[in-house]
């Protein structure tokens, strides 16, 4: 069958289209190959970067692992240190508790010892001044006027300056006479006082009273003074009182010094006597007078006040360690328990032992106490001290005497020690 002309044209056009399509496909394939090659290249770059990232991650993991190992080592060291510190804190708390307990005991003991020291100092001062009662001091007598024999000089001087003295030269018996050992720093200083020790106290009193009655006692043109011989401490206190009296007289207030160092003054229209300057301080401050009292005097006054307050609180009028109300309450209660009766009997014996002698302090030791003779005669108290029961305060809790069962459990005391 023969093709017609239109058919031939149509075929040639189709072939042209096919060629065009094939060319386009070739171009597309070429571009696709280029794209694939670029994708492959990108993939290779990505693989390289992923490999680098893997290496970085691996290195980072190693660093993290190393850091964690160091951290675990540090935490382990800190845990060990915390355990050590915890142990040290527990030990420190125990030592602090023991120290606080000992400090409380030492504080009570020091308070008791200070009060005892103040009382003993007061007694020593009293004894020292009593031993000086037969002594007399003469002031403003020129040095060198006595010559070589002080006793003979004084025996001739006294009847001369005290013409009304009802004593003869032979009646004046002097055991010793000398000047005090106070050094003179300057020539203008007053002469050293003369200290006289009389054999008879009444003779000394007659001479002193006569001098005070006469008022002005002169040796030639020079006025001399007579006074008792006091201890240095009492002289210091009387000097403080005389200073206050001088200030009061400038304000036209009548005042004088009484033995040993008491101040008597007019407060308004009433005459009052103050045992110490500390007690007179409020009245003196109202008059704008400042007193000179050192810290030791303040402490001594405070300890004396506390001692009397403690004794007033602990003792009744009969000197009992318990008050009268407590004694009456004890008499009203009928005790049937034989152990309580025995304990009260022992306590009553302790009260009788300490009545009228020394104040029973809870800071006193139990073993070897000279004020509690059973602690020396009985070795049981030594065993108590070895087990930790050393002072009277350990027998109490909140001012209540502990039962023996508590002491036995706390200090492991044997049952045969029951009291």
């Amino acid at each position: 069958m023969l093709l017609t002309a239109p058919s031939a044209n149509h075929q040639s056009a189709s072939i042209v289209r096919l060629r065009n399509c094939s060319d386009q496909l070739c171009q597309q394939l070429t571009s696709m190959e280029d794209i694939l090659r670029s994708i492959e290249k990108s993939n290779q770059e990505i693989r390289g970067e992923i490999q680098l990232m893997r290496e970085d991650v691996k290195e980072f993991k190693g660093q993290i692992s190393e850091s964690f190992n160091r951290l675990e080592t540090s935490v382990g060291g800190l845990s060990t240190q915390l355990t050590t510190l915890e142990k040290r804190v527990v030990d420190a708390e125990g030592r602090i508790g023991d120290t606080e307990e000992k400090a409380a005991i030492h504080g009570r003991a020091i308070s008791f010892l200070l009060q005892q020291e103040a009382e003993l100092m007061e007694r020593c001062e009293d004894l020292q001044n009593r031993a000086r009662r037969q002594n007399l001091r003469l002031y403003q007598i020129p040095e060198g006027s006595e010559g070589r024999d002080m006793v003979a000089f004084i025996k001739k001087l006294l009847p001369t300056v005290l013409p009304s003295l009802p004593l003869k030269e032979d009646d004046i018996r002097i055991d010793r006479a000398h000047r005090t050992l106070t050094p003179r720093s300057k020539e203008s200083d007053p002469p050293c006082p003369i200290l006289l020790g009389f054999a008879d106290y009444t003779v000394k009193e007659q001479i002193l009273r006569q001098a005070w009655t006469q008022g002005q006692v002169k040796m030639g043109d020079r006025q001399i003074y007579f006074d008792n011989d006091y201890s240095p401490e009492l002289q210091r206190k009387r000097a403080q009182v005389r200073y206050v009296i001088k200030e009061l007289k400038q304000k036209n207030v009548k005042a004088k010094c009484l033995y040993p160092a008491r101040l008597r003054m007019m407060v308004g229209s009433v005459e009052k006597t103050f045992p110490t300057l500390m007690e007179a301080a409020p009245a003196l401050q109202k008059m704008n007078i400042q007193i000179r009292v050192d810290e030791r005097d303040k402490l001594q006054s405070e300890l004396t006040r506390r001692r009397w307050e403690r004794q007033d609180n602990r003792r009744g009028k009969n000197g009992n360690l318990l008050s009268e109300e407590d004694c009456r309450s004890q008499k009203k209660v009928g005790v049937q328990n034989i152990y309580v009766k025995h304990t009260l009997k022992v306590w009553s014996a302790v009260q009788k032992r300490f009545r009228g002698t020394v104040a029973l302090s809870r800071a006193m030791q139990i073993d070897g106490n000279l004020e509690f003779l059973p602690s020396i005669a009985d070795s049981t108290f030594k065993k108590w001290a070895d087990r930790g029961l050393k002072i009277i305060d350990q027998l109490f809790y909140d001012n209540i005497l502990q039962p023996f069962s508590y002491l036995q459990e706390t200090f492991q005391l044997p049952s045969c020690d029951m009291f």
Side-chain angles (χ1 to χ4, degrees):
M1 180 177 181
L2 297 174
L3 298 172
T4 60
S7 302
N9 293 333
H10 180 72
Q11 290 179 350
S12 60
S14 298
I15 292 171
V16 171
R17 288 196 297 272
L18 289 172
R19 288 179 179 176
N20 292 332
C21 289
S22 63
D23 292 338
Q24 292 178 356
L25 288 173
C26 289
Q27 292 178 356
Q28 290 179 358
L29 288 174
T30 303
S31 63
M32 287 292 290
E33 290 177 353
D34 295 336
I35 291 173
L36 288 174
R37 282 194 295 270
S38 64
I39 290 173
E40 182 68 21
K41 185 178 180 180
S42 299
N43 287 337
Q44 291 179 356
E45 292 177 354
I46 291 172
R47 290 191 189 98
E49 291 179 357
I50 291 174
Q51 185 65 27
L52 292 176
M53 290 180 65
R54 286 178 178 177
E55 293 177 357
D56 293 339
V57 169
K58 186 177 181 180
E59 183 179 359
F60 184 67
K61 284 183 178 180
Q63 293 178 356
I64 290 177
S65 178
E66 184 179 357
S67 299
F68 273 113
N69 292 333
R70 290 198 302 267
L71 183 61
E72 288 178 358
T73 304
S74 301
V75 170
L78 290 175
S79 178
T80 304
Q81 292 180 1
L82 287 176
T83 304
T84 305
L85 289 176
E86 183 179 1
K87 183 179 179 181
R88 292 178 62 183
V89 167
V90 172
D91 295 340
E93 288 178 349
R95 289 195 299 270
I96 291 172
D98 295 340
T99 303
E100 289 178 348
E101 183 179 357
K102 291 180 181 179
I105 296 173
H106 292 167
R108 291 192 294 267
I110 290 173
S111 177
F112 170 75
L113 292 176
L114 287 175
Q115 293 168 1
Q116 290 290 95
E117 189 261 350
E119 184 177 353
L120 291 176
M121 285 292 296
E122 184 179 351
R123 291 182 182 180
C124 289
E125 281 294 315
D126 181 66
L127 291 175
Q128 188 175 3
N129 286 290
R130 287 178 185 273
R132 295 169 178 252
R133 282 187 172 183
Q134 296 182 198
N135 296 348
L136 191 65
R137 284 181 178 248
L138 276 65
Y139 297 90
Q140 299 297 332
I141 295 181
E143 294 192 13
S145 60
E146 65 273 12
R148 293 182 176 275
D149 192 351
M150 178 69 77
V151 175
F153 170 74
I154 295 298
K155 286 185 177 182
K156 293 179 181 180
L157 176 66
L158 292 178
T160 303
V161 298
L162 300 174
S164 301
L165 183 66
L167 295 173
K168 298 180 181 180
E169 184 176 343
D170 295 337
D171 297 333
I172 303 176
R173 293 180 297 167
I174 300 177
D175 289 340
R176 61 190 181 280
H178 59 83
R179 289 190 181 271
T180 60
L181 302 178
T182 305
R184 297 179 63 190
S185 58
K186 299 179 181 179
E187 291 295 332
S188 59
D189 291 344
C192 295
I194 295 178
L195 181 61
L196 306 177
F198 290 88
D200 192 349
Y201 169 77
T202 58
V203 173
K204 172 254 181 182
E205 283 295 312
Q206 290 182 17
I207 295 173
L208 184 60
R209 291 183 181 277
Q210 181 60 38
W212 287 350
T213 303
Q214 184 172 326
Q216 292 186 352
V217 181
K218 291 188 176 182
M219 178 183 173
D221 296 334
R222 192 184 189 96
Q223 186 171 356
I224 61 177
Y225 302 92
F226 292 72
D227 198 2
N228 287 303
D229 180 32
Y230 301 114
S231 65
E233 181 67 16
L234 185 55
Q235 290 183 29
R236 183 184 64 83
K237 293 181 180 180
R238 290 177 68 87
Q240 293 176 350
V241 176
R242 286 195 298 268
Y243 170 80
V244 173
I245 292 175
K246 182 179 178 181
E247 296 291 328
L248 290 172
K249 288 185 177 180
Q250 292 179 358
K251 298 180 180 295
N252 297 324
V253 178
K254 294 182 179 180
K256 58 183 177 179
C257 179
L258 303 179
Y259 183 85
R262 295 177 295 165
L263 175 64
R264 177 174 290 179
M265 56 180 288
M266 296 295 297
V267 180
S269 59
V270 181
E271 188 177 42
K272 290 187 177 181
T273 302
F274 299 95
T276 61
L277 289 180
M278 290 291 297
E279 298 184 18
L284 294 174
Q285 288 178 357
K286 293 180 180 178
M287 302 179 186
N288 295 326
I289 297 178
Q290 301 296 329
I291 60 174
R292 297 180 297 181
V293 181
D294 56 17
E295 293 298 327
R296 183 173 181 83
D297 291 339
K298 294 180 181 179
L299 179 61
Q300 185 175 2
S301 177
E302 179 69 16
L303 291 175
T304 303
R305 182 181 62 82
R306 288 183 180 180
R307 183 172 72 247
W308 284 108
E309 287 181 355
R310 187 183 73 254
Q311 291 179 356
D312 291 340
N313 292 334
R314 290 188 178 182
R315 297 178 179 231
K317 295 182 179 179
N318 297 327
N320 197 342
L321 292 174
L322 298 176
S323 62
E324 290 185 353
E325 183 178 356
D326 294 335
C327 294
R328 287 196 299 269
S329 63
Q330 280 189 348
K331 292 179 182 179
K332 292 179 181 179
V333 177
V335 180
Q336 303 296 333
N337 192 314
I338 185 173
Y339 301 109
V340 177
K341 282 185 177 181
H342 188 63
T343 302
L344 292 176
K345 183 178 179 181
V346 173
W347 183 246
S348 177
V350 173
Q351 289 180 347
K352 291 179 181 179
R353 170 64 184 86
F354 284 96
R355 182 179 299 170
T357 56
V358 297
L360 181 60
S361 171
R362 289 171 61 172
M364 293 174 64
Q365 64 180 10
I366 299 176
D367 177 50
N369 193 339
L370 296 177
E371 299 296 339
F372 184 52
L373 296 181
S375 66
I376 301 175
D378 193 347
S379 61
T380 301
F381 297 99
K382 178 66 170 61
K383 297 178 182 178
W384 287 12
D386 296 337
R387 295 176 182 270
L389 184 56
K390 299 181 179 180
I391 62 173
I392 296 178
D393 185 68
Q394 294 174 296
L395 299 175
F396 292 85
Y397 180 77
D398 289 340
N399 296 325
I400 300 176
L401 184 64
Q402 294 294 332
F404 181 79
S405 58
Y406 173 81
L407 299 176
Q408 184 179 14
E409 181 180 356
T410 304
F411 300 101
Q412 289 79 42
L413 303 181
S415 301
C416 60
D417 292 346
M418 182 174 180
F419 60 90

